Amino acid sequence: MVVTARALWRIWEQGRERTMILSSPFLVSFFLLVSVPVLFVLAPRILPPKTLPRIPDRDEVDDLALFRRATLASAEGGGLRPRAASPPKIAFMFLTNSDLSFAALWEQFFRGHERLFNVYIHADPSARLLLPPTPSFRGRFIPAKATQRGSPTLISAARRLLAGALIDDPANAFFALISQHCIPLHSFRFTYQAILSAPDASKPTHPEGALRRRRRSFIEILAGEPALWDRYVARGDNAMLPEVPFDRFRVGSQFFILARRHAVAIVRDRRLWKKFKMPCLKSREDSCYPEEHYFPTLLEMQDPEGCSRYTLTRVNWTDSVGGHPHTYRPPEISGKLIKTLRKSNSTYSYLFARKFSPDCLRPLLDLSHSVIFRD
């Protein structure tokens, strides 16, 4: 009986000690210490992301290798150089995530000028291209990666097109970025002469004042635009510093025509790219348009005098919806519209225009010889 009482007393004492331990500050601290790393592991899977998707590391590695090849191929004294017998060419670079709906119209534009142009296409791998490409587009697709609106993937795609064109043909002198929704507004002959005969930017090469002639790029570069600050802080209040102070931050049209030296400068850039490749904060998604900022900011910093500061691609923003410009529909297509779209405030006529719905192809083809290609 005595043994039984002692055993019961011992059990009661042990239970009391456990209760004290479980309620002690030490155990609470221990559980908190263990829970912190667990939260770090589980939080990203439970909580919504604070930023938009990043560019996959694998894509970055592939691009870096491609850009190095393009830089080396275009270096002075190294790589391939243009042959004297080869005339300067325009590289038409199509950036698309859907069918090339206006391929037939572009084919008429290109016909008979095969020695003066090259075509390159970056098609999002998820795009289902149902229309068979016409001869100028056949076999002209470059290795592509996924793209997404409002992300630096669109910058990467344009840089891939530039790199591919630089490597492919040393005679490529100008590089025109084109959307699948773009159409030409003039004949190829008019377009070629307008671009190639543009007044060159001149740069002193030594103190005596000798000038080196350089071709000018047609790219829109704007400062002081409404909501520019909101776009600048889309990645975070100080995320762009120190490489890109706000007073050097610019905006412009996504679509441009670049001289070769500017194409090389873009694929060679690492300094500004490390800032612009950062994803925007999800809370500031409506202000995230990196493809409209990277190119004008970079060229404004590196060669402002070598840029026209305006684009040759006409866009109608009068009734934009969700950041998209006006989309022209078949009933709007007419010779009067084409002539209106050509007009600009600069010394140059607009050469291209967007945005057109795919079903505009037929009425545009009807106008191709009588209006569009009749200069």
Side-chain angles (χ1 to χ4, degrees):
M1 189 70 177
V2 174
V3 175
T4 304
R6 287 179 178 175
L8 290 172
W9 175 258
R10 189 176 292 110
I11 292 171
W12 181 83
E13 284 288 332
Q14 290 175 349
R16 184 167 173 270
E17 289 176 0
R18 290 194 189 97
T19 302
M20 291 177 65
I21 291 173
L22 288 172
S23 62
S24 68
F26 169 80
L27 195 61
V28 173
S29 300
F30 174 76
F31 277 116
L32 286 174
L33 188 64
V34 172
S35 64
V36 169
V38 174
L39 285 174
F40 271 107
V41 173
L42 297 180
R45 302 181 183 182
I46 300 172
L47 300 175
K50 291 185 177 180
T51 65
L52 298 174
R54 296 177 177 272
I55 294 178
D57 291 340
R58 182 61 190 174
D59 290 0
E60 277 284 279
V61 172
D62 291 345
D63 285 349
L64 186 59
L66 173 64
F67 299 158
R68 283 174 175 165
R69 285 178 56 208
T71 301
L72 290 173
S74 303
E76 293 289 344
L80 298 173
R81 308 306 302 165
R83 295 188 302 272
S86 179
K89 297 181 181 180
I90 300 175
F92 290 87
M93 308 181 305
F94 289 81
L95 180 58
T96 180
N97 58 5
S98 65
D99 276 325
L100 296 167
S101 304
F102 300 108
L105 181 65
W106 284 102
E107 194 63 48
Q108 289 189 13
F109 173 80
F110 291 135
R111 188 171 299 145
H113 303 284
E114 287 74 13
R115 295 181 64 248
L116 301 178
F117 75 92
N118 285 303
V119 170
Y120 306 91
I121 308 164
H122 185 290
D124 188 292
S126 64
R128 297 184 61 187
L129 304 183
L130 304 179
L131 298 178
T134 54
S136 296
F137 293 86
R138 190 173 297 126
R140 304 308 298 171
F141 291 81
I142 70 166
K145 307 285 185 181
T147 56
Q148 180 180 339
R149 184 169 178 259
S151 82
T153 56
L154 290 175
I155 302 175
S156 295
R159 295 177 85 200
R160 286 185 207 108
L161 283 164
L162 289 169
L166 285 168
I167 295 170
D168 178 63
D169 193 340
N172 285 329
F174 280 96
F175 303 75
L177 187 64
I178 305 291
S179 156
Q180 76 266 32
H181 303 293
C182 278
I183 67 164
L185 293 176
H186 293 275
S187 68
F188 183 93
R189 183 182 299 276
F190 181 98
T191 301
Y192 184 86
Q193 290 178 350
I195 296 173
L196 270 294
S197 64
D200 293 341
S202 299
K203 182 178 181 180
T205 55
H206 55 74
E208 285 71 21
L211 297 179
R212 177 162 56 93
R213 308 303 296 179
R214 306 182 307 157
R215 289 192 166 98
R216 189 185 300 272
S217 288
F218 300 92
I219 178 171
E220 189 174 52
I221 302 177
L222 303 173
E225 294 298 292
L228 191 62
W229 175 256
D230 293 337
R231 293 185 177 211
Y232 179 70
V233 297
R235 298 163 191 81
D237 290 348
N238 297 310
M240 302 300 287
L241 295 174
E243 286 83 0
V244 187
F246 178 63
D247 63 350
R248 306 297 301 277
F249 188 67
R250 298 291 183 267
V251 64
S253 170
Q254 177 186 0
F255 300 97
F256 49 67
I257 303 174
L258 299 183
R260 188 177 182 91
R261 72 180 184 284
H262 290 153
V264 174
I266 285 171
V267 300
R268 189 173 54 203
D269 172 59
R270 304 289 180 270
R271 184 170 177 269
L272 264 62
W273 173 241
K274 72 180 182 181
K275 292 296 183 179
F276 281 93
K277 75 177 181 180
M278 293 189 300
C280 294
L281 299 175
K282 202 163 183 63
S283 60
R284 297 173 178 174
E285 184 174 2
D286 292 340
S287 299
C288 188
Y289 301 98
E291 71 281 4
E292 296 180 1
H293 297 278
Y294 173 72
F295 302 105
T297 300
L298 175 62
L299 295 184
E300 170 77 354
M301 287 185 170
Q302 294 198 4
D303 187 17
E305 298 303 318
C307 300
S308 68
R309 312 184 76 82
Y310 53 81
T311 179
L312 295 181
T313 299
R314 178 70 176 266
V315 185
N316 182 358
W317 291 103
T318 54
D319 55 351
S320 62
V321 178
H324 293 283
H326 174 77
T327 299
Y328 293 100
R329 306 292 177 182
E332 299 175 84
I333 305 303
S334 67
K336 182 179 180 181
L337 174 66
I338 298 300
K339 293 174 182 177
T340 299
L341 293 176
R342 289 172 174 173
K343 297 177 182 178
S344 75
N345 294 327
S346 73
T347 56
Y348 291 88
S349 167
Y350 282 110
L351 300 180
F352 314 113
R354 60 183 290 267
K355 181 176 185 182
F356 292 81
S357 63
D359 51 353
C360 288
L361 176 62
R362 187 67 263 168
L364 286 169
L365 287 174
D366 292 340
L367 292 174
S368 60
H369 294 294
S370 60
V371 180
I372 299 177
F373 303 141
R374 186 182 180 89
D375 300 314

mmCIF file of all heavy atoms in Angstrom, residues 197-224:
data_model
loop_
_atom_site.group_PDB
_atom_site.id
_atom_site.type_symbol
_atom_site.label_atom_id
_atom_site.label_comp_id
_atom_site.label_asym_id
_atom_site.label_seq_id
_atom_site.Cartn_x
_atom_site.Cartn_y
_atom_site.Cartn_z
ATOM 1 N N SER A 197 18.284 57.943 -96.432
ATOM 2 C CA SER A 197 18.716 59.275 -96.842
ATOM 3 C C SER A 197 18.548 60.313 -95.740
ATOM 4 O O SER A 197 18.770 61.502 -95.972
ATOM 5 C CB SER A 197 17.916 59.730 -98.072
ATOM 6 O OG SER A 197 16.541 59.873 -97.751
ATOM 7 N N ALA A 198 18.154 59.882 -94.547
ATOM 8 C CA ALA A 198 17.978 60.813 -93.433
ATOM 9 C C ALA A 198 19.304 61.491 -93.108
ATOM 10 O O ALA A 198 20.369 60.869 -93.192
ATOM 11 C CB ALA A 198 17.467 60.064 -92.203
ATOM 12 N N PRO A 199 19.270 62.788 -92.735
ATOM 13 C CA PRO A 199 20.511 63.483 -92.361
ATOM 14 C C PRO A 199 21.213 62.746 -91.231
ATOM 15 O O PRO A 199 20.581 62.350 -90.249
ATOM 16 C CB PRO A 199 20.013 64.854 -91.901
ATOM 17 C CG PRO A 199 18.688 65.023 -92.561
ATOM 18 C CD PRO A 199 18.092 63.652 -92.653
ATOM 19 N N ASP A 200 22.512 62.557 -91.393
ATOM 20 C CA ASP A 200 23.281 61.854 -90.383
ATOM 21 C C ASP A 200 23.521 62.736 -89.172
ATOM 22 O O ASP A 200 23.540 63.961 -89.256
ATOM 23 C CB ASP A 200 24.640 61.408 -90.947
ATOM 24 C CG ASP A 200 24.489 60.353 -92.028
ATOM 25 O OD1 ASP A 200 23.430 59.729 -92.083
ATOM 26 O OD2 ASP A 200 25.437 60.180 -92.813
ATOM 27 N N ALA A 201 23.729 62.076 -88.027
ATOM 28 C CA ALA A 201 24.210 62.791 -86.846
ATOM 29 C C ALA A 201 25.720 62.900 -86.982
ATOM 30 O O ALA A 201 26.394 61.937 -87.343
ATOM 31 C CB ALA A 201 23.847 62.011 -85.590
ATOM 32 N N SER A 202 26.273 64.058 -86.735
ATOM 33 C CA SER A 202 27.711 64.277 -86.891
ATOM 34 C C SER A 202 28.367 64.392 -85.532
ATOM 35 O O SER A 202 27.836 65.001 -84.618
ATOM 36 C CB SER A 202 27.965 65.549 -87.699
ATOM 37 O OG SER A 202 27.397 65.431 -88.984
ATOM 38 N N LYS A 203 29.544 63.829 -85.408
ATOM 39 C CA LYS A 203 30.255 63.846 -84.135
ATOM 40 C C LYS A 203 31.724 64.189 -84.355
ATOM 41 O O LYS A 203 32.393 63.543 -85.170
ATOM 42 C CB LYS A 203 30.146 62.475 -83.448
ATOM 43 C CG LYS A 203 30.815 62.424 -82.099
ATOM 44 C CD LYS A 203 30.616 61.063 -81.453
ATOM 45 C CE LYS A 203 31.268 61.003 -80.083
ATOM 46 N NZ LYS A 203 31.081 59.687 -79.445
ATOM 47 N N PRO A 204 32.263 65.200 -83.651
ATOM 48 C CA PRO A 204 33.698 65.513 -83.785
ATOM 49 C C PRO A 204 34.542 64.317 -83.363
ATOM 50 O O PRO A 204 34.257 63.668 -82.372
ATOM 51 C CB PRO A 204 33.882 66.689 -82.822
ATOM 52 C CG PRO A 204 32.518 67.253 -82.618
ATOM 53 C CD PRO A 204 31.573 66.100 -82.734
ATOM 54 N N THR A 205 35.577 64.039 -84.128
ATOM 55 C CA THR A 205 36.450 62.907 -83.800
ATOM 56 C C THR A 205 37.796 63.365 -83.245
ATOM 57 O O THR A 205 38.516 62.563 -82.688
ATOM 58 C CB THR A 205 36.679 62.044 -85.053
ATOM 59 O OG1 THR A 205 37.186 62.876 -86.106
ATOM 60 C CG2 THR A 205 35.377 61.408 -85.502
ATOM 61 N N HIS A 206 38.147 64.652 -83.406
ATOM 62 C CA HIS A 206 39.392 65.151 -82.816
ATOM 63 C C HIS A 206 39.293 66.663 -82.663
ATOM 64 O O HIS A 206 38.400 67.313 -83.231
ATOM 65 C CB HIS A 206 40.610 64.749 -83.658
ATOM 66 C CG HIS A 206 40.517 65.170 -85.082
ATOM 67 N ND1 HIS A 206 40.682 66.470 -85.507
ATOM 68 C CD2 HIS A 206 40.262 64.438 -86.198
ATOM 69 C CE1 HIS A 206 40.552 66.523 -86.816
ATOM 70 N NE2 HIS A 206 40.293 65.314 -87.270
ATOM 71 N N PRO A 207 40.179 67.284 -81.899
ATOM 72 C CA PRO A 207 40.075 68.714 -81.588
ATOM 73 C C PRO A 207 40.009 69.630 -82.793
ATOM 74 O O PRO A 207 39.469 70.729 -82.723
ATOM 75 C CB PRO A 207 41.335 68.983 -80.757
ATOM 76 C CG PRO A 207 41.684 67.659 -80.154
ATOM 77 C CD PRO A 207 41.299 66.646 -81.190
ATOM 78 N N GLU A 208 40.583 69.213 -83.923
ATOM 79 C CA GLU A 208 40.585 70.076 -85.104
ATOM 80 C C GLU A 208 39.189 70.229 -85.709
ATOM 81 O O GLU A 208 38.976 71.037 -86.601
ATOM 82 C CB GLU A 208 41.538 69.514 -86.170
ATOM 83 C CG GLU A 208 43.017 69.739 -85.845
ATOM 84 C CD GLU A 208 43.484 68.864 -84.703
ATOM 85 O OE1 GLU A 208 42.818 67.845 -84.433
ATOM 86 O OE2 GLU A 208 44.502 69.204 -84.077
ATOM 87 N N GLY A 209 38.245 69.405 -85.250
ATOM 88 C CA GLY A 209 36.869 69.583 -85.686
ATOM 89 C C GLY A 209 36.440 68.716 -86.847
ATOM 90 O O GLY A 209 35.382 68.954 -87.417
ATOM 91 N N ALA A 210 37.227 67.733 -87.244
ATOM 92 C CA ALA A 210 36.808 66.817 -88.302
ATOM 93 C C ALA A 210 35.571 66.052 -87.832
ATOM 94 O O ALA A 210 35.433 65.733 -86.654
ATOM 95 C CB ALA A 210 37.933 65.839 -88.636
ATOM 96 N N LEU A 211 34.666 65.775 -88.759
ATOM 97 C CA LEU A 211 33.417 65.128 -88.395
ATOM 98 C C LEU A 211 33.358 63.698 -88.908
ATOM 99 O O LEU A 211 33.830 63.401 -90.003
ATOM 100 C CB LEU A 211 32.228 65.914 -88.950
ATOM 101 C CG LEU A 211 32.048 67.351 -88.429
ATOM 102 C CD1 LEU A 211 30.848 67.984 -89.113
ATOM 103 C CD2 LEU A 211 31.874 67.363 -86.923
ATOM 104 N N ARG A 212 32.773 62.842 -88.090
ATOM 105 C CA ARG A 212 32.505 61.466 -88.521
ATOM 106 C C ARG A 212 31.007 61.342 -88.741
ATOM 107 O O ARG A 212 30.209 61.670 -87.856
ATOM 108 C CB ARG A 212 32.964 60.482 -87.441
ATOM 109 C CG ARG A 212 32.659 59.020 -87.765
ATOM 110 C CD ARG A 212 33.508 58.111 -86.894
ATOM 111 N NE ARG A 212 33.322 58.386 -85.485
ATOM 112 C CZ ARG A 212 32.451 57.748 -84.706
ATOM 113 N NH1 ARG A 212 31.644 56.840 -85.233
ATOM 114 N NH2 ARG A 212 32.353 58.028 -83.422
ATOM 115 N N ARG A 213 30.601 60.897 -89.937
ATOM 116 C CA ARG A 213 29.183 60.790 -90.262
ATOM 117 C C ARG A 213 28.601 59.541 -89.626
ATOM 118 O O ARG A 213 29.165 58.459 -89.707
ATOM 119 C CB ARG A 213 28.998 60.723 -91.782
ATOM 120 C CG ARG A 213 29.679 61.828 -92.558
ATOM 121 C CD ARG A 213 29.245 63.224 -92.129
ATOM 122 N NE ARG A 213 27.831 63.455 -92.397
ATOM 123 C CZ ARG A 213 27.189 64.580 -92.105
ATOM 124 N NH1 ARG A 213 27.846 65.552 -91.503
ATOM 125 N NH2 ARG A 213 25.916 64.716 -92.392
ATOM 126 N N ARG A 214 27.462 59.706 -88.974
ATOM 127 C CA ARG A 214 26.820 58.591 -88.301
ATOM 128 C C ARG A 214 25.325 58.604 -88.609
ATOM 129 O O ARG A 214 24.698 59.659 -88.601
ATOM 130 C CB ARG A 214 27.022 58.682 -86.784
ATOM 131 C CG ARG A 214 28.478 58.803 -86.348
ATOM 132 C CD ARG A 214 28.560 58.832 -84.824
ATOM 133 N NE ARG A 214 27.688 59.857 -84.283
ATOM 134 C CZ ARG A 214 27.221 59.838 -83.036
ATOM 135 N NH1 ARG A 214 27.524 58.861 -82.235
ATOM 136 N NH2 ARG A 214 26.436 60.808 -82.595
ATOM 137 N N ARG A 215 24.763 57.443 -88.838
ATOM 138 C CA ARG A 215 23.334 57.358 -89.108
ATOM 139 C C ARG A 215 22.532 57.624 -87.837
ATOM 140 O O ARG A 215 22.947 57.279 -86.737
ATOM 141 C CB ARG A 215 22.999 55.984 -89.688
ATOM 142 C CG ARG A 215 23.508 55.802 -91.123
ATOM 143 C CD ARG A 215 22.918 54.562 -91.761
ATOM 144 N NE ARG A 215 23.132 54.559 -93.201
ATOM 145 C CZ ARG A 215 24.102 53.900 -93.817
ATOM 146 N NH1 ARG A 215 24.956 53.205 -93.106
ATOM 147 N NH2 ARG A 215 24.213 53.949 -95.119
ATOM 148 N N ARG A 216 21.360 58.199 -88.020
ATOM 149 C CA ARG A 216 20.510 58.580 -86.899
ATOM 150 C C ARG A 216 19.421 57.518 -86.678
ATOM 151 O O ARG A 216 18.902 56.933 -87.633
ATOM 152 C CB ARG A 216 19.865 59.938 -87.193
ATOM 153 C CG ARG A 216 19.121 60.557 -86.010
ATOM 154 C CD ARG A 216 18.441 61.830 -86.456
ATOM 155 N NE ARG A 216 19.382 62.820 -86.949
ATOM 156 C CZ ARG A 216 19.999 63.712 -86.180
ATOM 157 N NH1 ARG A 216 19.777 63.728 -84.882
ATOM 158 N NH2 ARG A 216 20.835 64.584 -86.713
ATOM 159 N N SER A 217 19.072 57.276 -85.409
ATOM 160 C CA SER A 217 17.988 56.352 -85.075
ATOM 161 C C SER A 217 16.672 57.103 -84.929
ATOM 162 O O SER A 217 16.652 58.255 -84.484
ATOM 163 C CB SER A 217 18.298 55.616 -83.761
ATOM 164 O OG SER A 217 19.324 54.670 -83.933
ATOM 165 N N PHE A 218 15.592 56.435 -85.303
ATOM 166 C CA PHE A 218 14.250 57.005 -85.147
ATOM 167 C C PHE A 218 13.584 56.343 -83.947
ATOM 168 O O PHE A 218 13.004 55.259 -84.063
ATOM 169 C CB PHE A 218 13.436 56.792 -86.421
ATOM 170 C CG PHE A 218 14.036 57.437 -87.637
ATOM 171 C CD1 PHE A 218 14.899 56.733 -88.472
ATOM 172 C CD2 PHE A 218 13.772 58.771 -87.927
ATOM 173 C CE1 PHE A 218 15.455 57.333 -89.584
ATOM 174 C CE2 PHE A 218 14.337 59.380 -89.044
ATOM 175 C CZ PHE A 218 15.182 58.663 -89.874
ATOM 176 N N ILE A 219 13.688 56.977 -82.812
ATOM 177 C CA ILE A 219 13.122 56.444 -81.580
ATOM 178 C C ILE A 219 12.567 57.597 -80.765
ATOM 179 O O ILE A 219 13.208 58.640 -80.627
ATOM 180 C CB ILE A 219 14.177 55.661 -80.760
ATOM 181 C CG1 ILE A 219 13.566 55.147 -79.453
ATOM 182 C CG2 ILE A 219 15.447 56.483 -80.509
ATOM 183 C CD1 ILE A 219 14.470 54.185 -78.697
ATOM 184 N N GLU A 220 11.368 57.415 -80.253
ATOM 185 C CA GLU A 220 10.728 58.461 -79.451
ATOM 186 C C GLU A 220 11.383 58.541 -78.074
ATOM 187 O O GLU A 220 11.550 57.521 -77.402
ATOM 188 C CB GLU A 220 9.233 58.163 -79.309
ATOM 189 C CG GLU A 220 8.442 59.287 -78.678
ATOM 190 C CD GLU A 220 6.953 59.009 -78.698
ATOM 191 O OE1 GLU A 220 6.554 57.911 -78.245
ATOM 192 O OE2 GLU A 220 6.196 59.880 -79.165
ATOM 193 N N ILE A 221 11.748 59.751 -77.659
ATOM 194 C CA ILE A 221 12.353 59.983 -76.352
ATOM 195 C C ILE A 221 11.667 61.195 -75.727
ATOM 196 O O ILE A 221 11.809 62.315 -76.218
ATOM 197 C CB ILE A 221 13.870 60.225 -76.445
ATOM 198 C CG1 ILE A 221 14.563 59.034 -77.123
ATOM 199 C CG2 ILE A 221 14.459 60.462 -75.054
ATOM 200 C CD1 ILE A 221 16.058 59.226 -77.326
ATOM 201 N N LEU A 222 10.910 60.966 -74.665
ATOM 202 C CA LEU A 222 10.128 62.023 -74.036
ATOM 203 C C LEU A 222 10.460 62.132 -72.558
ATOM 204 O O LEU A 222 10.714 61.130 -71.884
ATOM 205 C CB LEU A 222 8.629 61.744 -74.188
ATOM 206 C CG LEU A 222 8.096 61.575 -75.625
ATOM 207 C CD1 LEU A 222 6.649 61.129 -75.594
ATOM 208 C CD2 LEU A 222 8.254 62.861 -76.419
ATOM 209 N N ALA A 223 10.442 63.361 -72.056
ATOM 210 C CA ALA A 223 10.636 63.626 -70.626
ATOM 211 C C ALA A 223 9.480 64.484 -70.133
ATOM 212 O O ALA A 223 8.806 65.144 -70.922
ATOM 213 C CB ALA A 223 11.968 64.348 -70.398
ATOM 214 N N GLY A 224 9.253 64.472 -68.829
ATOM 215 C CA GLY A 224 8.222 65.325 -68.259
ATOM 216 C C GLY A 224 6.804 64.923 -68.605
ATOM 217 O O GLY A 224 5.884 65.737 -68.531
#
